[in-house]
Amino acid sequence: VTTKMAPLADLHEDHILQAVVLALNPHQTLLQHGPKELVPLVNTPLLDYTLDWLERSGVDETIVYCRAHTHADKIRQHCRGFTTRRGDCGMKVCVVASEDCHSMGDAMRDLYAKSLLKDDFFLVHGDVVATIDLKSLMMKHRERRMADKSIIMTCVYLNCNQGNLGDEEAQATLITDAVTGKLLSHQRPSKNNTAKFLLPTELFQNSSDLKVVPEAHDPSIAVCSEAVPSLFSDNFDYGSRDSLIRGVIEQEELLGYTICCEILDSGYATRVSSFNFYEKVSGEVIRRMSYPMVSEVSLTSHRIRYMYDTFTNNYWEPSAKFHKGSGGTNVVVGAGSEISMTAELQWSVIGDHCIIEDNVKANTAFIMNNVVIKAGCVLDHCFLGDNVTLEENVRLAPGCIVGPGVILGPDITVAAATRLVAIPPEDEFDQHHVSLEPDPVICGAKGRAFVIEPEEVEEDEEEALNGELVDEDEEDEVSDEASDSPHMSDEDEQREHEFKREMMESLTNALRESSASENVVLEINASRHAYNMSMEDVLTTVTQGIIRAGEDKISEDCSVESLWRTVKISITAFKDVLRNYIRKARDQVLVMNAIELLMTESPRYLPVAQKIFFELNQSFEILDDEVVIHWFKKGGAATSAFPSLKNAIERFVVWLEQEEESDDSEEQDD
């Protein structure tokens, strides 16, 4: 008797589709008391859009990863309710919380340590609204990996030229291999000039068929292999998806990994990463651009919850006192709310149990639950949290965000972009910045509100809302990093101080003992991981440490010749160590910034600065001519030491320019 073998395709175990949803925002978003992912968008929590989309796409298991802060329990309770309504046949959702998570990189490292990701998975944020087909994207990703094992990630973008979302804050300029889809360059718009991007000439040496997408919309959606969490674990300076992409592109030969991208000409996908996007996406959901996720259907129960009028594009819950022929157009009204027949509403969302009285005008207003708006109020492009009360004739200018419980009025006008809370803001010592008594000039005679200064909110919201979408990747911006370093906590400063001290001791001992370069690199990398330092910090510290490694042999009154003799010995000994950390022009700029910063701390090295630049450029070819000239003309790192450093190296830079011009003329003669 002979038996026929089953086809291999029938024997393989079914893949379980997994997704990781990042909910890493601990701050109050839009001044609401709760995590950003649970802020209602068209009366539906943001997280429900993400979970419903993943379930529709055939995802079997979703891990919602959040910080173990006070809001983690709210996210866990919400996800429990989501899965309960689906029953046993729905997508499984589990919440993983960590106290030490501050970035996507931390989340990936934790998930890798817990071995929770078993196969290819989707990586998204908890504020994404999308309808694109994830299953087909997974199939394409796996087909690419079958052909090329080096591919570890497929990033998803939308082509803005096809009418998709293309706001500057979520744009990326891409250069890909037109045949394979391999991502060769990924850049964010420059803060100074959004039309400018770098086109590395070396790309033309490796591929003759390039595709440039100058304005791709990036919804931060990726299909990842199991190697991605491992790569984050091996590189502690990878904090975001952008830093991972940059690292893989720059170190492709060393790591052996590549990234592909899928640029879609149709479909809907975006993150609600700022108030501008909140306003934009709300309007698009009302206009049904996110079909099948439409306003009248509950994403939690999939039941019809609102009446819908196709002529006015209004939605209202049956218990609401709202007539479809009144109140304007493109309006959503929640349960139990009462809207006056004389109110004029456009492109606005009203939550549950709100009261809007006579002659109220609201254009693009987002009103949460239990809000009372009395007669004659005017609202324009603003957000009102739960339990807000506006007395008669209150006017809110565009951009106002009013937190829960605030009372305003009567007869006041709130200036544009004002942000108000019901309780005075507190500093880090829990001491109120302002008087406990509200100012009637700000909130009115019956009001209670306190202003949040824009810079305080801006810092929180940029970290919480924009997340990885903001990533400095322009060489032109690197020279400003030294002068614009962010405020660090005492713990961060102590960690950086300890790292610098340890590096100085290591380099000094290595110079004294003539240690091999590879051993020095291993020691530096070990310290880097131990102190969780970025590559930029490592390069700065190593550069300055190499110059100063022989300081213990130098007296205070030594001659310039003796100083240079010691510095040259150190640079010669560690040239291969420094070369190990320089991959591209951006790294060379960081080296020169570090030298300039050293001059501010130790002016004694200024007389030998030109010789340092000469050795790094001419003797060891660590710094390229054009990079030195470019850095010099841009004003270096713009520290207080640059004028003196400029005078010290100006003759050398002029000589470099003359050499460049001479080489160009010789090429033209040939």
Side-chain angles (χ1 to χ4, degrees):
V1 178
T2 60
T3 59
K4 186 180 290 187
M5 292 289 291
L8 290 177
D10 295 336
L11 292 175
H12 83 283
E13 184 178 349
D14 290 339
H15 290 284
I16 296 177
L17 275 184
Q18 287 184 299
V20 174
V21 176
L22 299 174
L24 301 179
N25 171 33
H27 302 285
Q28 294 181 356
T29 304
L30 295 173
L31 308 183
Q32 286 286 88
H33 295 311
K36 170 191 175 184
E37 290 74 20
L38 299 186
V39 170
L41 179 88
V42 193
N43 292 340
T44 297
L46 269 171
L47 185 57
D48 283 2
Y49 288 93
T50 306
L51 295 178
D52 186 74
W53 165 56
L54 293 174
E55 186 177 59
R56 290 177 188 272
S57 298
V59 173
D60 301 300
E61 296 178 359
T62 292
I63 298 171
V64 178
Y65 196 98
C66 63
R67 296 184 190 177
H69 47 74
T70 55
H71 300 324
D73 289 339
K74 294 182 180 179
I75 292 177
R76 188 175 285 108
Q77 182 179 358
H78 185 84
C79 290
R80 191 181 300 119
F82 182 91
T83 54
T84 299
R85 294 184 186 95
R86 261 70 176 167
D88 296 335
C89 59
M91 177 179 68
K92 296 181 180 178
V93 181
C94 70
V95 177
V96 177
S98 171
E99 293 182 356
D100 299 325
C101 182
H102 301 283
S103 67
M104 173 189 289
D106 291 338
M108 289 292 100
R109 286 184 276 272
D110 188 35
L111 292 173
Y112 176 75
K114 291 181 168 68
S115 300
L116 294 177
L117 300 171
K118 308 174 183 65
D119 204 342
D120 297 333
F121 63 95
F122 301 109
L123 180 60
V124 301
H125 287 263
D127 57 5
V128 67
V129 180
T131 62
I132 58 177
D133 181 11
L134 287 179
K135 241 179 182 177
S136 63
L137 292 172
M138 178 63 78
M139 290 177 61
K140 290 181 180 179
H141 171 76
R142 286 174 173 166
E143 288 172 0
R144 286 193 177 113
R145 291 205 70 202
M146 289 288 290
D148 184 355
K149 297 295 184 183
S150 70
I151 297 172
I152 61 168
M153 178 188 287
T154 299
C155 297
V156 181
Y157 303 91
L158 277 74
N159 196 334
C160 295
N161 294 329
Q162 302 298 322
N164 295 305
L165 282 169
D167 289 42
E168 178 183 324
E169 58 190 288
Q171 278 185 11
T173 297
L174 312 175
I175 303 176
T176 69
D177 186 307
V179 177
T180 64
K182 176 183 172 182
L183 187 58
L184 304 175
S185 176
H186 179 278
Q187 301 174 33
R188 296 292 178 191
S190 168
K191 296 177 182 178
N192 300 323
N193 183 2
T194 57
K196 182 179 179 181
F197 68 94
L198 301 176
L199 186 60
T201 55
E202 61 266 20
L203 297 182
F204 295 96
Q205 300 173 1
N206 302 322
S207 177
S208 59
D209 196 357
L210 300 179
K211 179 179 180 181
V212 179
V213 184
E215 293 182 340
H217 175 69
D218 182 7
S220 295
I221 298 170
V223 188
C224 305
S225 75
E226 66 278 5
V228 169
S230 173
L231 193 56
F232 272 109
S233 182
D234 293 338
N235 296 270
F236 280 82
D237 55 318
Y238 291 173
S240 66
R241 197 197 64 173
D242 277 12
S243 61
L244 173 72
I245 292 173
R246 186 170 60 237
V248 170
I249 291 176
E250 293 173 1
Q251 303 182 57
E252 178 182 345
E253 295 183 2
L254 179 64
L255 297 174
Y257 292 137
T258 58
I259 293 173
C260 285
C261 63
E262 190 72 25
I263 304 172
L264 306 177
D265 289 333
S266 62
Y268 185 88
T270 187
R271 281 185 65 192
V272 184
S273 53
S274 66
F275 179 63
N276 289 338
F277 266 107
Y278 181 90
E279 182 178 297
K280 184 179 182 67
V281 176
S282 293
E284 288 168 344
V285 171
I286 292 173
R287 296 206 312 271
R288 311 175 75 78
M289 290 178 61
S290 59
Y291 183 86
M293 291 185 287
V294 290
S295 302
E296 72 268 24
V297 178
S298 168
L299 296 184
T300 54
S301 66
H302 287 171
R303 296 178 180 176
I304 299 295
R305 60 170 178 167
Y306 291 148
M307 307 294 289
Y308 170 55
D309 179 58
T310 56
F311 181 72
T312 60
N313 206 43
N314 287 337
Y315 307 79
W316 66 97
E317 211 273 351
S319 63
K321 294 183 179 179
F322 175 79
H323 191 271
K324 68 177 182 179
S326 64
T329 59
N330 300 291
V331 176
V332 180
V333 181
S337 291
E338 300 180 13
I339 313 298
S340 169
M341 292 284 288
T342 60
E344 299 178 15
L345 311 179
Q346 303 285 340
W347 294 105
S348 296
V349 178
I350 317 299
D352 296 340
H353 307 293
C354 296
I355 298 175
I356 297 180
E357 296 185 354
D358 295 339
N359 301 314
V360 169
K361 296 181 180 180
N363 177 31
T364 317
F366 306 99
I367 301 167
M368 300 298 105
N369 302 320
N370 303 301
V371 173
V372 176
I373 302 177
K374 296 187 178 180
C377 291
V378 178
L379 291 70
D380 188 11
H381 291 79
C382 55
F383 180 98
L384 278 66
D386 294 340
N387 304 300
V388 167
T389 299
L390 301 186
E391 299 290 342
E392 291 83 357
N393 303 314
V394 173
R395 301 178 69 91
L396 298 182
C400 287
I401 297 180
V402 183
V406 166
I407 303 173
L408 296 175
D411 304 311
I412 64 165
T413 298
V414 180
T418 301
R419 307 197 174 193
L420 299 167
V421 292
I423 301 174
E426 298 177 346
D427 62 16
E428 59 184 352
F429 300 107
D430 295 330
Q431 300 296 319
H432 292 286
H433 287 304
V434 296
S435 170
L436 294 176
E437 293 301 321
D439 185 352
V441 175
I442 295 174
C443 60
K446 298 181 181 179
R448 179 172 179 81
F450 302 87
V451 176
I452 294 287
E453 295 301 324
E455 57 267 22
E456 296 178 49
V457 177
E458 186 176 318
E459 181 181 350
D460 284 347
E461 285 199 343
E462 279 202 344
E463 178 187 351
L465 296 178
N466 292 338
E468 69 175 356
L469 291 179
V470 179
D471 188 20
E472 295 182 1
D473 196 32
E474 295 289 338
E475 177 187 338
D476 290 343
E477 294 177 14
V478 176
S479 60
D480 299 329
E481 289 179 4
S483 59
D484 293 333
S485 58
H487 174 74
M488 297 192 302
S489 66
D490 292 341
E491 183 179 345
D492 291 334
E493 291 178 349
Q494 180 66 22
R495 178 168 52 88
E496 183 176 330
H497 174 75
E498 289 295 323
F499 174 73
K500 289 182 177 180
R501 183 188 58 78
E502 187 171 300
M503 282 296 91
M504 198 68 241
E505 290 179 359
S506 297
L507 291 170
T508 301
N509 293 334
L511 182 63
R512 186 185 303 114
E513 299 168 5
S514 301
S515 301
S517 297
E518 54 268 26
N519 295 335
V520 177
V521 170
L522 287 174
E523 193 168 346
I524 291 172
N525 290 341
S527 297
R528 169 196 161 201
H529 291 305
Y531 289 96
N532 194 20
M533 304 302 291
S534 68
M535 285 303 299
E536 287 81 358
D537 291 331
V538 171
L539 193 51
T540 299
T541 303
V542 168
T543 300
Q544 295 178 350
I546 288 173
I547 296 174
R548 300 177 59 178
E551 274 189 347
D552 57 339
K553 301 177 182 178
I554 303 173
S555 62
E556 288 295 329
D557 57 348
C558 73
S559 64
V560 173
E561 290 75 14
S562 299
L563 176 64
W564 169 240
R565 194 180 306 114
T566 304
V567 172
K568 184 177 180 180
I569 291 173
S570 182
I571 293 177
T572 304
F574 293 123
K575 62 182 183 298
D576 291 332
V577 174
L578 186 58
R579 191 178 284 121
N580 178 78
Y581 294 101
I582 296 178
R583 310 286 181 184
K584 60 172 186 174
R586 182 176 186 270
D587 300 328
Q588 297 179 40
V589 173
L590 286 170
V591 169
M592 291 183 283
N593 285 349
I595 295 173
E596 179 183 336
L597 190 61
L598 176 62
M599 301 304 165
T600 65
E601 301 169 355
S602 302
R604 66 186 299 187
Y605 289 101
L606 266 173
V608 299
Q610 181 166 277
K611 294 182 178 182
I612 293 174
F613 274 78
F614 183 89
E615 287 296 305
L616 295 178
N617 170 256
Q618 294 293 311
S619 300
F620 303 127
E621 298 182 346
I622 291 175
L623 301 179
D624 297 335
D625 295 359
E626 60 273 16
V627 178
V628 173
I629 295 170
H630 170 78
W631 175 85
F632 181 84
K633 288 184 174 181
K634 280 186 62 65
T639 69
S640 59
F642 183 74
S644 300
L645 181 60
K646 178 181 178 181
N647 292 333
I649 67 173
E650 190 167 16
R651 288 177 54 197
F652 172 65
V653 176
V654 170
W655 177 77
L656 282 181
E657 288 181 303
Q658 293 172 349
E659 290 292 308
E660 287 277 297
E661 293 173 0
S662 176
D663 292 342
D664 292 341
S665 61
E666 289 179 6
E667 290 179 3
Q668 291 176 1
D669 293 340
D670 293 340

